[in-house]
Amino acid sequence: EAGVTQFPSHSVIEKGQTVTLRCDPISGHDNLYWYRRVMGKEIKFLLHFVKESKQDESGMPNNRFLAERTGGTYSTLKVQPAELEDSGVYFCASSQGRGDNYEQYFGPGTRLTVT
Amino acid sequence: GNSVTQMEGPVTLSEEAFLTINCTYTATGYPSLFWYVQYPGEGLQLLLKATKADDKGSNKGFEATYRKETTSFHLEKGSVQVSDSAVYFCALSDRRGATNKLIFGTGTLLAVQP
């Protein structure tokens, strides 16, 4: 069974440009999470989808970030326009259900560098 | 709010040394506690978890005990190997609301030398 995949693995863009990150969850996992780790700090929650619906987007830093999950399969996270402080590693995770009995499986992350 | 504090790294040990990585938490209620590990070039993997006070999670020789009285979940291993070199993250599950999101510490880099 394929794990969570993320694309690209690394992206370098200039301030003001747009970047779109993609996450493909494990097949059949309705729950999809986005997290990010900025400059070696803690990994912070961004948002949570259940199928195509946003369950919780309380961690989204501002309106330059837009996440979608059309059809309830893969998800995209767009940053427009990118700022220097957006640099970091963006992780996606998926789980079959909610609750502590359902493990969140993480992808390898996308390293975003804004110059 | 809920938070996790873990010891800063890097931690450098010789092979077969004893490992402790400290983790304390602040939370409303009684969250589940987790240790995740990130090996070089890979995503985070769940290493172990504990869902209630006094539970001990264990996996691959690693152990951690959920201590409510000290709000701690320290990670230990009796004899580390070079292959244990990785970044270790302590986390708790935030059960407020319907999301069950994870709240992580800053991560501790462990380097084991042969």
Side-chain angles (χ1 to χ4, degrees):
Chain A
E1 179 183 281
V4 177
T5 58
Q6 294 186 244
F7 182 82
S9 58
H10 192 182
S11 179
V12 181
I13 61 171
E14 293 183 353
K15 176 182 172 180
Q17 290 186 323
T18 298
V19 63
T20 300
L21 313 180
R22 173 171 170 144
C23 168
D24 286 76
I26 293 172
S27 178
H29 282 194
D30 288 340
N31 293 269
L32 187 149
Y33 302 80
W34 283 98
Y35 296 85
R36 74 171 178 178
R37 187 184 191 207
V38 174
M39 285 298 293
K41 296 185 178 179
E42 70 270 28
I43 300 171
K44 285 193 173 181
F45 167 82
L46 296 178
L47 86 159
H48 170 217
F49 284 98
V50 177
K51 297 185 180 179
E52 67 276 7
S53 299
K54 292 176 185 175
Q55 188 71 35
D56 180 351
E57 52 185 332
S58 61
M60 294 288 265
N62 51 60
N63 60 10
R64 296 185 293 103
F65 289 75
L66 175 64
E68 295 179 322
R69 193 182 181 194
T70 306
T73 55
Y74 70 91
S75 175
T76 58
L77 180 65
K78 180 190 287 187
V79 185
Q80 179 183 31
E83 298 288 346
L84 298 178
E85 63 265 25
D86 300 333
S87 296
V89 181
Y90 290 76
F91 293 101
C92 176
S94 71
S95 66
Q96 199 167 24
R98 279 173 284 179
D100 297 337
N101 289 330
Y102 295 96
E103 180 178 344
Q104 291 186 29
Y105 294 86
F106 282 78
T110 293
R111 180 174 296 278
L112 174 64
T113 303
V114 182
T115 62
Chain B
N2 293 355
S3 65
V4 172
T5 302
Q6 63 181 102
M7 64 186 289
E8 291 191 18
V11 174
T12 303
L13 296 173
S14 297
E15 206 164 23
E16 299 184 2
F18 184 85
L19 169 71
T20 299
I21 301 178
N22 290 337
C23 171
T24 57
Y25 67 91
T26 301
T28 303
Y30 304 102
S32 291
L33 302 174
F34 306 84
W35 277 100
Y36 278 81
V37 58
Q38 184 181 22
Y39 298 103
E42 299 183 15
L44 280 78
Q45 301 174 22
L46 178 63
L47 180 60
L48 53 84
K49 73 175 185 182
T51 58
K52 61 183 186 296
D54 299 325
D55 265 5
K56 178 186 284 187
S58 62
N59 186 23
K60 299 182 180 179
F62 291 89
E63 293 183 340
T65 301
Y66 191 139
R67 301 287 189 198
K68 188 177 69 172
E69 63 276 12
T70 55
T71 61
S72 65
F73 193 55
H74 304 321
L75 182 68
E76 296 182 337
K77 187 175 185 182
S79 176
V80 294
Q81 305 299 312
V82 172
S83 57
D84 294 327
S85 298
V87 182
Y88 293 81
F89 293 91
C90 185
L92 62 82
S93 61
D94 188 336
R95 296 172 178 162
R96 296 170 297 178
T99 292
N100 212 66
K101 61 192 175 194
L102 295 171
I103 294 176
F104 289 89
T106 54
T108 302
L109 173 63
L110 170 66
V112 181
Q113 298 176 338

